[in-house]
Amino acid sequence: MKVLEQMDAYGHEQITFVRDEATGLRAIIAVHDTTFGPALGGSRFWNYATEEAALFDVLRLSRGMTLKNAAAGLPLGGGKAVIIGDPAKLKSRAFFHAYGKFINALNGTYYTAGDVNMAVDDIAMIHEVSPYVAGTPEISGDPGPFTARGVYKAMKAGAGVKFGSESLKGKTVAIQGIGSVGYALCEYLAEEGAILKVSARTPATVAKAVADFGAIAVPVDEILATECDIFAPCAMGAVLNTDNAGDLNCAMVAGAANNVLLDAATADALVARDILYLPDYIVNAGGVINCGAEVVGGYDVEKVNAQVDNIYNTTLEILALAKEKGINTYQAAEEYACGIVSAGKAAKR
């Protein structure tokens, strides 16, 4: 595991490996960039097959947070953490207190928040020992609904470009993963009259979406290829690559998952099939906008919602940039966000 070489490749400032023998805690905290302020990004709890897989995920996720926070106009840098293991077996107050003490050791360089398999109650336990936490129940709460709101707004922006109308009524949206974000996205789409196809690893969650929204249940291994207008990946990242991009049966990809595309070549594969990709860290920034407002101070939910709604405009900017320069939307988002970070670095010199 050539960690320093990978840090060079992604441009990271700091990687911290932590463990606590008493609780079984094993985690990696990645601070990618602090040009605009302390790094903000959630903690993901996942039973990774290998340490290499965990490192690969946290490196990509943390760099994505730098770009996401910059594109959203937040005065914060980018970071992320992954907790390695089975959340069903490891979660406890002592576990999260141990984790919080390791976050404290970074002296405010990194603020954490919720992510996959991390509920608001888990965040609250970390907050009992650490001030470097956002998405706390007493202030901004679960960031999931804000993420869903932003994705919904971005979908409407993308629909206007791709389909000639921003209305999603009658459009079929296939949602991969219906946790707090995916389920909230279902609510927005159902209210507008979209036809929903849903897939998740928990049958009870799928059954609830079917009952509440009249959604069509799709097996986990079939959701990617199911016929739809919009494919919305809302689970783990790297779900699309050059091998399976040809299986898609949609006109647009727009979801809440981070790092949806494995690499830049996948973006080219989507262009070749005339599938419009809305870059994930542009459209799914609603949650970090909410958490960022808590870190900055003076939290105001109305201002947060207004900033989340502006994801609609940012999405249009990215699509216009891609068209103007004759590049794909993946490249356009990189140019847009990296330009903001580069300007920030130059101003600090």
Side-chain angles (χ1 to χ4, degrees), residues 9-24:
Y10 286 101
H12 281 75
E13 294 178 7
Q14 182 178 0
I15 305 291
T16 304
F17 294 81
V18 304
R19 63 178 291 275
D20 179 71
E21 186 173 354
T23 62

Side-chain angles (χ1 to χ4, degrees), residues 204-277:
T205 306
V206 173
K208 181 171 173 55
V210 170
D212 291 350
F213 310 118
I216 301 165
V218 179
V220 170
D221 59 355
E222 296 179 16
I223 190 68
L224 191 144
T226 194
E227 185 176 357
C228 59
D229 296 296
I230 304 169
F231 173 57
C234 295
M236 297 295 284
V239 295
L240 294 179
N241 53 56
T242 52
D243 291 331
N244 65 19
D247 297 332
L248 286 170
N249 197 2
C250 64
M252 186 166 78
V253 174
N258 290 305
N259 297 325
V260 168
L261 309 187
L262 178 63
D263 50 29
T266 308
D268 292 330
L270 296 182
V271 171
R273 299 201 56 225
D274 194 28
I275 297 174
L276 177 63
Y277 168 64

Side-chain angles (χ1 to χ4, degrees), residues 32 74-75 90 175 189 265 268 333 337:
H32 179 260
L74 299 180
L90 290 172
I175 303 177
L189 293 169
D268 292 330

Side-chain angles (χ1 to χ4, degrees), residues 29-327:
I29 303 171
V31 174
H32 179 260
D33 189 278
T34 56
T35 298
F36 293 115
L40 171 62
S43 292
R44 173 166 297 187
F45 206 145
W46 193 256
N47 201 9
Y48 292 94
T50 64
E51 292 179 22
E52 288 78 10
L55 179 62
F56 176 76
D57 204 23
V58 78
L59 289 171
R60 283 164 49 86
L61 288 168
S62 51
R63 180 181 182 273
M65 289 307 304
T66 294
L67 301 182
K68 182 187 300 189
N69 294 347
L74 299 180
L76 297 163
K80 200 80 174 185
V82 294
I83 301 173
I84 305 168
D86 186 347
K89 297 178 180 178
L90 290 172
K91 283 187 179 184
S92 70
R93 178 167 267 102
F95 182 93
F96 287 120
H97 281 188
Y99 182 52
K101 290 174 183 177
F102 282 115
I103 291 174
N104 288 343
L106 296 176
N107 295 316
T109 302
Y110 169 67
Y111 278 77
T112 196
D115 198 82
V116 175
N117 289 326
M118 290 288 284
V120 173
D121 289 345
D122 303 327
I123 294 301
M125 284 187 277
I126 299 171
H127 196 221
E128 288 170 357
V129 299
S130 176
Y132 307 117
V133 180
T136 59
E138 61 268 28
I139 303 180
S140 65
D142 181 9
F146 295 92
T147 303
R149 182 183 180 116
V151 173
Y152 169 68
K153 295 292 184 179
M155 273 189 188
K156 292 181 72 64
V161 172
K162 186 65 178 177
F163 306 121
S165 168
E166 69 173 33
S167 174
L168 298 173
K169 184 176 181 180
K171 291 286 186 286
T172 299
V173 183
I175 303 177
Q176 179 189 50
I178 43 176
S180 66
V181 178
Y183 193 83
L185 181 59
C186 285
E187 292 179 318
Y188 279 109
L189 293 169
E191 185 175 352
E192 187 164 342
I195 300 164
L196 302 179
K197 292 184 174 182
V198 298
S199 174
R201 297 190 180 281
T202 51
T205 306
V206 173
K208 181 171 173 55
V210 170
D212 291 350
F213 310 118
I216 301 165
V218 179
V220 170
D221 59 355
E222 296 179 16
I223 190 68
L224 191 144
T226 194
E227 185 176 357
C228 59
D229 296 296
I230 304 169
F231 173 57
C234 295
M236 297 295 284
V239 295
L240 294 179
N241 53 56
T242 52
D243 291 331
N244 65 19
D247 297 332
L248 286 170
N249 197 2
C250 64
M252 186 166 78
V253 174
N258 290 305
N259 297 325
V260 168
L261 309 187
L262 178 63
D263 50 29
T266 308
D268 292 330
L270 296 182
V271 171
R273 299 201 56 225
D274 194 28
I275 297 174
L276 177 63
Y277 168 64
L278 304 188
D280 48 77
Y281 59 81
I282 298 297
V283 309
N284 69 12
V288 78
I289 289 171
N290 178 63
C291 291
E294 183 174 348
V295 173
V296 173
Y299 182 83
D300 183 327
V301 69
E302 291 186 4
K303 291 181 179 178
V304 168
N305 280 331
Q307 194 171 356
V308 172
D309 289 350
N310 193 54
I311 289 173
Y312 176 97
N313 297 317
T314 307
T315 301
L316 290 180
E317 283 189 62
I318 300 300
L319 299 183
L321 180 63
K323 182 177 180 179
E324 175 192 343
K325 297 209 167 185
I327 57 179

